[in-house]
Amino acid sequence: MHYTSKYYLIFPVICFFLNSKAQTQQSDYYSGYDYSNFRKEQVFLEPIDFKQIDINRINAVIFQLTNEIRVKHNLKPLAYNNMLEQAAEMHARDMVAGNFFDHLNRQDERKKTPNDRALLCHITNPYLAENLIEGYGLQYTSNEAIYLRGKGEFSKTPDGELIKPHTYLSFGEAQLTGWMNSKLHRSNILSKNALELGCGAAYFRAASFNDMPTFYVVQNFQWYQPVNNNPQQGAQEEK
């Protein structure tokens, strides 16, 4: 059986709402870690447990890997922004809940575009570029021949060992490899215009693929100027 993953990109559409400067928050996976040292941390080397997934850890490893790649290409690392992460994770969850995979959320006009979603997360000057990808939680490569076993279980030979889950790090590496092999996604990751980044993921079982453990992963880049925020405006937008 062969299965092909999906990934999409959207070009940014400008939308200015200038207000107070954004305030970022950092989870434990950002404090003390950066692109230069995250690979040594045991938390990112643990296998993903699909019964107890740490989405924040996935978000963080995607962020750190992105900056690692940028630095290798002589670009500045991007600043972490919690509001961009919130917008990215919201869209990932909505795609799972609504059973769609697209930059446009046609099921909720308030969240239709990346900039719309940024506004709901209190970003008043959104200039977003967005990358999407569908990634498998098992160590499986798209179009690789595999054998179906139990629900959500696969092997590379008829009676062989079951394919193991990714570690958090290897899962992140697989997603960045997919994006970097796509010219337009790569251009977002390596853009000189990008200043800040937030990444979000959501988990589901792909019913059309023998319940393959699967994630939708979203990158939200803020271009040209740092994020500004207005919590009151964001609260009004959410009503």
Side-chain angles (χ1 to χ4, degrees), residues 25-39 41 43-44 54-68 78-82 85-86 88-89 168-173 176 179 197-201 217-219:
Q25 301 175 6
Q26 294 187 339
S27 75
D28 290 339
Y29 297 128
Y30 297 92
S31 300
Y33 303 146
D34 64 18
Y35 64 88
S36 68
N37 63 11
F38 76 100
R39 285 184 174 274
E41 299 299 329
V43 292
F44 298 124
D54 190 341
I55 291 294
N56 291 331
R57 205 182 318 184
I58 291 176
N59 297 347
V61 79
I62 296 289
F63 174 87
Q64 303 293 7
L65 285 163
T66 302
N67 273 340
E68 181 184 61
L78 301 176
Y80 167 73
N81 188 285
N82 179 257
E85 182 178 277
Q86 290 176 24
E89 190 168 323
Y168 284 88
L169 178 59
S170 67
F171 174 79
E173 289 175 327
L176 267 297
W179 279 323
L197 172 64
C199 307
V217 184
V218 181
Q219 289 180 310

Side-chain angles (χ1 to χ4, degrees), residues 64-94:
Q64 303 293 7
L65 285 163
T66 302
N67 273 340
E68 181 184 61
I69 289 171
R70 285 180 60 87
V71 170
K72 287 180 179 178
H73 285 81
N74 299 314
L75 295 168
K76 292 182 179 179
L78 301 176
Y80 167 73
N81 188 285
N82 179 257
M83 287 173 289
L84 291 172
E85 182 178 277
Q86 290 176 24
E89 190 168 323
M90 177 174 65
H91 189 51
R93 292 197 306 266
D94 285 345

Side-chain angles (χ1 to χ4, degrees), residues 49-152:
D49 179 353
F50 300 121
K51 295 181 180 178
Q52 192 173 5
I53 300 167
D54 190 341
I55 291 294
N56 291 331
R57 205 182 318 184
I58 291 176
N59 297 347
V61 79
I62 296 289
F63 174 87
Q64 303 293 7
L65 285 163
T66 302
N67 273 340
E68 181 184 61
I69 289 171
R70 285 180 60 87
V71 170
K72 287 180 179 178
H73 285 81
N74 299 314
L75 295 168
K76 292 182 179 179
L78 301 176
Y80 167 73
N81 188 285
N82 179 257
M83 287 173 289
L84 291 172
E85 182 178 277
Q86 290 176 24
E89 190 168 323
M90 177 174 65
H91 189 51
R93 292 197 306 266
D94 285 345
M95 287 191 295
V96 170
N99 192 30
F100 71 94
F101 184 73
D102 199 326
H103 292 286
L104 298 180
N105 183 343
R106 295 177 175 85
Q107 300 177 7
D108 189 337
E109 285 297 316
R110 301 174 308 155
K111 303 177 181 179
K112 186 172 183 179
T113 70
N115 283 347
D116 291 335
R117 298 187 285 271
L119 287 168
L120 288 177
C121 293
H122 315 314
I123 297 172
T124 60
N125 63 330
Y127 200 137
L128 267 62
E130 181 175 85
N131 283 350
L132 307 180
I133 195 167
E134 180 186 67
Y136 304 125
L138 300 181
Q139 296 179 31
Y140 162 75
T141 303
S142 295
N143 294 320
E144 184 179 10
I146 54 176
Y147 294 84
L148 307 183
R149 306 288 287 273
K151 279 291 186 180

Side-chain angles (χ1 to χ4, degrees), residues 10-18 113-116 118-119 123-130 193 221-225:
I10 193 168
F11 291 107
V13 179
I14 191 164
C15 184
F16 288 114
F17 297 89
L18 302 178
T113 70
N115 283 347
D116 291 335
L119 287 168
I123 297 172
T124 60
N125 63 330
Y127 200 137
L128 267 62
E130 181 175 85
N193 299 321
F221 301 86
Q222 171 75 355
W223 284 17
Y224 296 122
Q225 57 185 242

